Amino acid sequence: MTTAKKSLLNSRPPLERMLRIHQLLQAGNYPNASSIATEIEVNSKTIHRDLEFMRDRLNLPIAFDAGRNGYYYTGEVSGFPTMQITEGEIFALVVAEKALQQYRGTSFEKPLLSAIKKMEQSLPDTISLNLADIEQTISFRTRAEPILDLGTFDVLARAVARRQQLELQYRKPGQNPEPRIVDPYHLANINGEWFLFAYDHGRKDIRTFAPARIQSVKPTGKTFERSEKFSLEKRLRDSFGVHAGQGKYEVVLRFAPRAADYIREKKWHQSQTLKELKGGGLELKLNLSSLGEVQRWVLSWAGEAVVLKPAELVELVRAAAKKMLG
């Protein structure tokens, strides 16, 4: 037997091996570990581990008959144990598959779809047929789908997992590309868009990078240890989106009645507090570390939101509104 074929057989998935063992036990010929190993073309130690798993974890009634020098089922086994799943879990499975839209085109798509398909295939046929009905009842839509270069994204994903230092050619909006040496700490999908959080050696600080703005990327050949101080949750705790600042701002916004209902329906920030106003209006208070993202959000309400505090945000919104009118 060739080395390649031996390698293929030894890498046979455990479930496939155990299904074959189950068939051999069902046949009632009292196979032992050696004969099973020969049949499946793996070593007997692997078979012993599989038999122990089937007996102890899958609760199959396996015993060894010393007189016949082989294994057998001590009771009736109608079939190999299958996945037990509730109706709610089935629905969640379909939702998860639909939610994969945000991973389309990334290196995560294929393994995620493969895992979900395997779970679906392990369901009884009667349940699997119902998946098609449920699939028609739910969908996901995005207003603006991010454009990703798959080659770039794959390099970033591998570098984050393997802690490989990278050299980027990165273009900030309105500027020419420039080289950046970074230690990629974390890839995050925030509000449907991907961001890389990395230690920038030139800036000597953590910076946020949009993969779509990376013109080229290559490993430097070096590895790194991620700082224990890095925490994405802490970093974004006082941001309104992905940009963390060093400031401390109490932001107070007043929403007209027509917009107030939309504000009540969501949690926009973990620090938010709401105050009901006469006439159906609403006051929203936030504690933020920067103002750029909330400025653009206020402008998106087309006059239905008014900034009360801080003065810096009042001026930013006023200047932007004048620029739009001019």
Side-chain angles (χ1 to χ4, degrees):
M1 184 182 298
T2 65
T3 302
K5 188 174 181 181
K6 286 181 180 179
S7 176
L8 178 63
L9 291 169
N10 288 333
S11 64
R12 190 189 300 272
L15 179 59
E16 183 180 337
R17 290 197 310 268
M18 286 186 276
L19 281 170
R20 184 61 185 139
I21 294 170
H22 164 70
Q23 292 168 354
L24 293 171
L25 294 176
Q26 285 281 67
N29 295 324
Y30 292 85
N32 57 37
S34 296
S35 64
I36 296 173
T38 301
E39 168 77 20
I40 302 179
E41 298 181 284
V42 296
N43 61 58
S44 57
K45 289 183 178 180
T46 298
I47 299 302
H48 280 298
R49 287 196 297 268
D50 289 342
L51 286 165
E52 289 175 4
F53 184 91
M54 293 170 67
R55 183 190 63 216
D56 301 336
R57 300 289 295 277
L58 299 182
N59 297 317
L60 288 169
I62 297 174
F64 184 79
D65 187 314
R68 300 190 183 217
N69 190 34
Y71 292 92
Y72 68 103
Y73 280 141
T74 61
E76 183 180 353
V77 178
S78 57
F80 194 80
T82 58
M83 181 185 298
Q84 300 298 314
I85 190 167
T86 67
E87 183 178 346
E89 289 168 335
I90 294 171
F91 191 80
L93 182 64
V94 178
V95 172
E97 186 170 2
K98 291 289 187 178
L100 277 174
Q101 185 64 43
Q102 63 183 315
Y103 301 105
R104 299 291 188 220
T106 73
S107 55
F108 301 133
E109 178 184 5
K110 187 175 180 180
L112 282 170
L113 282 174
S114 175
I116 287 177
K117 291 301 180 186
K118 286 179 181 177
M119 286 188 283
E120 289 178 354
Q121 289 167 5
S122 70
L123 298 174
D125 291 340
T126 53
I127 295 180
S128 297
L129 289 173
N130 292 332
L131 289 172
D133 297 330
I134 299 174
E135 195 173 53
Q136 302 302 316
T137 66
I138 189 168
S139 65
F140 286 75
R141 293 288 185 271
T142 55
R143 184 179 60 186
E145 183 177 345
I147 298 174
L148 287 174
D149 180 276
L150 300 188
T152 296
F153 191 88
D154 285 346
V155 173
L156 296 179
R158 286 197 300 269
V160 170
R162 300 172 184 174
R163 300 187 179 183
Q164 296 173 330
Q165 188 182 88
L166 297 173
E167 179 180 346
L168 313 177
Q169 285 292 329
Y170 190 72
R171 178 189 59 79
K172 297 180 73 173
Q175 300 181 19
N176 294 322
E178 60 176 340
R180 310 280 279 268
I181 302 296
V182 303
D183 297 341
Y185 281 2
H186 190 90
L187 269 172
N189 188 286
I190 301 174
N191 296 326
E193 295 189 48
W194 287 100
F195 296 93
L196 173 69
F197 294 85
Y199 178 81
D200 188 318
H201 285 264
R203 276 72 176 172
K204 299 189 183 303
D205 196 6
I206 304 294
R207 289 290 187 267
T208 305
F209 299 89
R213 298 175 191 159
I214 297 176
Q215 306 292 294
S216 66
V217 56
K218 62 180 181 180
T220 65
K222 298 180 180 179
T223 57
F224 64 90
E225 290 296 326
R226 187 169 62 184
S227 172
E228 294 182 358
K229 295 180 180 179
F230 174 77
S231 166
L232 185 64
E233 182 180 352
K234 291 180 180 178
R235 180 175 180 81
L236 299 183
R237 181 171 50 202
D238 295 328
S239 71
F240 195 66
V242 298
H243 298 298
Q246 300 299 319
K248 290 186 178 182
Y249 302 98
E250 183 185 57
V251 174
V252 182
L253 309 173
R254 183 175 66 233
F255 289 86
R258 189 166 60 176
D261 279 339
Y262 292 101
I263 300 301
R264 294 186 185 98
E265 292 169 356
K266 292 183 180 181
K267 184 174 182 179
W268 302 93
H269 193 265
Q270 62 181 10
S271 69
Q272 76 178 42
T273 58
L274 301 177
K275 179 181 177 181
E276 299 293 335
L277 303 176
K278 292 182 179 180
L282 189 71
E283 185 177 284
L284 172 66
K285 184 183 294 184
L286 310 166
N287 294 312
L288 304 177
S289 62
S290 60
L291 299 175
E293 289 170 312
V294 74
Q295 173 214 22
R296 292 188 287 273
W297 186 63
V298 169
L299 290 166
S300 73
W301 288 101
E304 297 293 323
V306 176
V307 180
L308 303 182
K309 293 172 64 174
E312 297 97 319
L313 183 57
V314 173
E315 290 304 316
L316 285 171
V317 171
R318 180 181 289 122
K322 287 182 178 179
K323 191 173 182 179
M324 286 190 292
L325 290 173

